Amino acid sequence: MPVFKTSRHVVLSEERRRTLASRASAARKAAGLTQETLAHQAGVSAEHIRRIERGAGNPSLATLYALTDAMGIPLADLVPD
């Protein structure tokens, strides 16, 4: 998988963003959480959750850990292979 770099940071490929978006949304729903509740528990904005679930976000590793901790799942459940 290619990794794209901008002048500010590394950006996930479109395929990986789509996979992450799908997994994040499915995991949140399986945990019975709204986007707002997950955002509050993870310490991020609800808009950030929406961007991740649309495939428009480029979350940091710290954000991914915060999300998985809030949902009670391992990081491997979200991160594409």
Side-chain angles (χ1 to χ4, degrees):
M1 288 272 130
V3 174
F4 303 96
K5 187 169 181 158
T6 67
S7 61
R8 295 173 59 200
H9 60 275
V10 175
V11 179
L12 293 172
S13 69
E14 184 175 335
E15 180 182 345
R16 285 189 170 158
R17 281 194 318 266
R18 280 195 314 263
T19 301
L20 176 61
S22 174
R23 289 179 181 189
S25 178
R28 176 184 57 77
K29 291 173 184 173
L33 300 171
T34 65
Q35 290 176 335
E36 291 75 16
T37 301
L38 176 58
H40 177 73
Q41 291 179 359
V44 300
S45 71
E47 179 57 29
H48 195 41
I49 300 295
R50 286 189 283 277
R51 288 181 48 76
I52 292 168
E53 290 188 5
R54 282 195 320 264
N58 192 41
S60 69
L61 183 58
T63 297
L64 292 175
Y65 271 116
L67 295 175
T68 57
D69 288 349
M71 291 186 281
I73 61 171
L75 182 64
D77 285 2
L78 285 190
V79 179
D81 300 341

